[in-house]
Amino acid sequence: MGLCNSKPSTTPCPSSPKSDPEPAKENSIPANNCAFSARDSTKTTSSSANGESQNPTGEQNGKKSPFFPFYSPSPAHYLFSKKSPARSPANVSSNSTPRRFFRKPFPPPSPAKHIRAALARRHGSVKPNEASIPEGSEAERVTGLDKSFGFSKHFGSKYELGDEVGRGHFGYTCAAKFKKGELKGQQVAVKVIPKAKVFSLFMPNIARFPILA
Ligand SMILES: Nc1ncnc2c1ncn2[C@@H]1O[C@H](COP(=O)(O)OP(=O)(O)OP(=O)(O)O)[C@@H](O)[C@H]1O
């Protein structure tokens, strides 16, 4: 399929019947200017007067594409055909990478661990931040800090809560003072995060868990 844009020549078109002894007349359309000349020529080459195929490879070249109902020069149909070496079972088994299904290296973290850790902290069976390793001289400084993050029941007995000094996304910050101990009277900032917000944000699946509610 195509349009011939060349000038009309005096040589006869191969698709035109050979039996026509006279050259094309002026008012007739020249053979080279005719549309679909390639399709017509395919027809003429693929069959002869005897009905036998003159072009043995013509059948393969003129094969219809599986995607288009007409002739396509694309070799795509060969890839999808059973003759294609890419589809042969021998090549599939020997050359292709075998399919392997790997297991996940680690299981996904269970929310139950967080619950168990919170319970352990609450009941004192596990020291808070036991796994953290202080580095160098920082160890001495860190030991003085209260790192028992969590939900302290005795907060009110330790600190005197003051005014709110600011707000964040998760909670608000208040000024507070130590009530007793060595740090008595020292002012600190206490960040208050409502329990409901913590569990709804970080652990939405166990927000209504009865133990921590
Ligand atoms: N030690 C402090 N002294 C004085 N003001 C403070 C202190 N800590 C926090 N604030 C005030 O509280 C505000 C909120 O502090 P916060 O740490 O909650 O901020 P944030 O990290 O943005 O919050 P979030 O993590 O919830 O998004 C701060 O913008 C600041 O104004």
Side-chain angles (χ1 to χ4, degrees):
M1 188 171 76
L3 288 172
C4 307
N5 294 324
S6 60
K7 291 179 182 178
S9 63
T10 54
T11 56
C13 177
S15 63
S16 62
K18 289 179 181 177
S19 60
D20 197 4
E22 294 181 6
K25 294 179 181 175
E26 287 181 1
N27 56 357
S28 65
I29 300 169
N32 281 359
N33 278 353
C34 61
F36 308 106
S37 60
R39 192 164 126 189
D40 295 341
S41 65
T42 308
K43 280 182 186 175
T44 50
T45 53
S46 62
S47 62
S48 65
N50 298 337
E52 293 176 4
S53 175
Q54 289 181 343
N55 185 7
T57 59
E59 188 183 342
Q60 194 174 354
N61 291 339
K63 198 167 187 175
K64 287 180 180 178
S65 164
F67 309 107
F68 304 105
F70 47 82
Y71 164 73
S72 167
S74 168
H77 66 269
Y78 181 66
L79 293 173
F80 290 95
S81 68
K82 290 178 181 176
K83 293 174 186 174
S84 170
R87 283 175 60 93
S88 67
N91 283 345
V92 167
S93 60
S94 62
N95 295 335
S96 63
T97 307
R99 289 182 180 181
R100 291 177 184 164
F101 298 98
F102 295 105
R103 283 184 174 182
K104 287 182 181 176
F106 301 106
S110 166
K113 284 183 181 177
H114 299 281
I115 297 163
R116 268 190 262 123
L119 286 171
R121 274 200 300 271
R122 182 177 287 184
H123 298 297
S125 59
V126 175
K127 289 180 183 175
N129 297 323
E130 198 179 31
S132 63
I133 302 165
E135 294 176 6
S137 61
E138 198 183 354
E140 287 93 48
R141 285 194 289 114
V142 169
T143 48
L145 293 174
D146 180 14
K147 294 182 76 180
S148 57
F149 298 109
F151 308 108
S152 172
K153 280 185 175 177
H154 312 292
F155 179 82
S157 64
K158 282 184 185 175
Y159 302 95
E160 183 187 336
L161 204 63
D163 296 332
E164 181 182 317
V165 293
R167 274 184 179 268
H169 285 98
F170 304 108
Y172 55 92
T173 307
C174 293
K177 272 184 183 177
F178 276 99
K179 276 186 177 176
K180 53 189 177 183
E182 293 176 4
L183 300 170
K184 187 179 177 183
Q186 186 173 334
Q187 202 161 22
V188 290
V190 176
K191 183 161 182 171
V192 182
I193 303 171
K195 265 185 196 177
K197 201 149 195 173
V198 170
F199 287 106
S200 62
L201 282 169
F202 296 113
M203 291 176 268
N205 295 334
I206 57 166
R208 295 175 188 173
F209 200 78
I211 296 171
L212 296 175

